[in-house]
Amino acid sequence: MVRLLVILLAFASLLGAEAVTIPTMNFNLAAPDTPKQLVSSLNVLVVLTLLFLAPSMVLVMTTFTRFIIVFGFLRQALGTQQVPPTQLLVMLAMILTFFVMEPVGTKAYEDGIKPYIAEKIGYEEAFDKATLPFKNFMIRNTREKDLALFFRIRKMKNPQTVAAVPLSIVIPAFVISEIKTAFEIGFLIFLPFLVIDMVVASILMSMGMMMLPPVMISLPFKILVFVLIDGWNLLIGNLIASIK
């Protein structure tokens, strides 16, 4: 997990300029006098921006999207309102993401970032080697239809190799594939709880208890069923198994 956090920071530097020189900090707010000073200031701005955006970009390139959407569907299907809390679901999704992505992150670190830090390879080679494991992972979990959509929008020819697929196409295709997969899993989660709601509503209607909210009665039964089938173990196990 620590290594993946290092990768987040390393990606920010790899996505920036090949050689970024941070000028000595002074508190002179005057406009730069020379083009060199302007370029240095812009380089600092680019690095700070990338440091801010890199963690979000890397999360988009992982299974975090799938996990957090499925957990949201589960909470709505159970009808437990704010239980588990949103913060807990986000942390659980992040922990599972680190667990799933650790082999990918380790390979990216060993192949690209570590040699770059040791000054054994250049920026472009380091960027290609560090992003290749993530690109391979995303393509394995992306539908061909989604990739073809963005190639068609860009009016580009179909690539012959994985290396020829640009990240600008892989990332959005991967995100919409993850959302679709998460919605499919969410639908399957909703079905058994929907059956419980319908059965409870039918029983209450047949008993003439029209004013009693069915959700109030069905909620304990849904929680009981979820606990009896060891729902968290079953859900997380199948979620991880669904990742290629």
Side-chain angles (χ1 to χ4, degrees):
M1 184 178 294
V2 175
R3 181 169 291 178
L4 286 178
L5 293 176
V6 173
I7 291 173
L8 294 181
L9 297 176
F11 266 139
S13 61
L14 288 176
L15 290 171
E18 180 171 353
V20 177
T21 303
I22 299 179
T24 304
M25 291 188 63
N26 53 41
F27 296 95
N28 184 12
L29 299 180
D33 298 327
T34 63
K36 184 177 180 180
Q37 292 180 358
L38 177 60
V39 170
S40 298
S41 301
L42 291 177
N43 284 338
V44 173
L45 179 62
V46 169
V47 170
L48 292 177
T49 303
L50 291 174
L51 284 173
F52 178 76
L53 295 178
S56 301
M57 288 298 298
V58 174
L59 287 180
V60 171
M61 297 164 60
T62 63
T63 56
F64 179 80
T65 302
R66 181 184 306 193
F67 289 144
I68 195 64
I69 292 177
V70 170
F71 292 155
F73 274 122
L74 173 64
R75 189 169 66 180
Q76 291 186 15
L78 285 171
T80 53
Q81 302 300 325
Q82 296 299 319
V83 180
T86 302
Q87 293 86 347
L88 178 60
L89 293 181
V90 171
M91 288 303 302
L92 178 59
M94 292 185 66
I95 291 171
L96 292 176
T97 300
F98 281 124
F99 174 79
V100 172
M101 299 300 299
E102 184 177 7
V104 180
T106 300
K107 183 171 178 58
Y109 178 81
E110 295 292 339
D111 294 348
I113 297 174
K114 188 175 180 180
Y116 178 73
I117 294 175
E119 298 182 356
K120 295 181 179 179
I121 59 177
Y123 157 76
E124 293 184 358
E125 186 179 356
F127 179 80
D128 292 338
K129 289 185 175 181
T131 56
L132 184 59
F134 285 91
K135 185 188 294 185
N136 291 335
F137 172 81
M138 288 188 288
I139 290 178
R140 287 198 307 269
N141 291 276
T142 303
R143 299 181 302 164
E144 293 184 6
K145 182 179 179 181
D146 295 327
L147 283 172
L149 170 65
F150 289 96
F151 272 103
R152 188 167 62 251
I153 293 173
R154 283 279 185 90
K155 297 180 180 179
M156 298 172 60
K157 295 182 179 180
N158 293 332
Q160 301 299 321
T161 61
V162 173
V165 183
L167 276 175
S168 59
I169 288 180
V170 175
I171 294 177
F174 172 73
V175 171
I176 64 174
S177 290
E178 286 292 285
I179 294 175
K180 182 180 185 296
T181 303
F183 271 67
E184 291 174 346
I185 298 173
F187 172 76
L188 296 177
I189 291 174
F190 256 98
L191 285 180
F193 298 115
L194 180 61
V195 171
I196 295 175
D197 285 332
M198 293 177 63
V199 170
V200 171
S202 299
I203 293 175
L204 291 178
M205 187 175 296
S206 64
M207 295 175 62
M209 304 175 67
M210 309 292 291
M211 302 301 294
L212 185 63
V215 177
M216 184 180 299
I217 306 299
S218 64
L219 178 59
F221 289 101
K222 290 191 287 187
I223 295 176
L224 178 63
V225 169
F226 190 72
V227 171
L228 289 177
I229 65 173
D230 198 3
W232 284 109
N233 184 285
L234 186 64
L235 175 63
I236 291 176
N238 282 279
L239 269 176
I240 296 179
S242 68
I243 300 169
K244 299 178 183 179

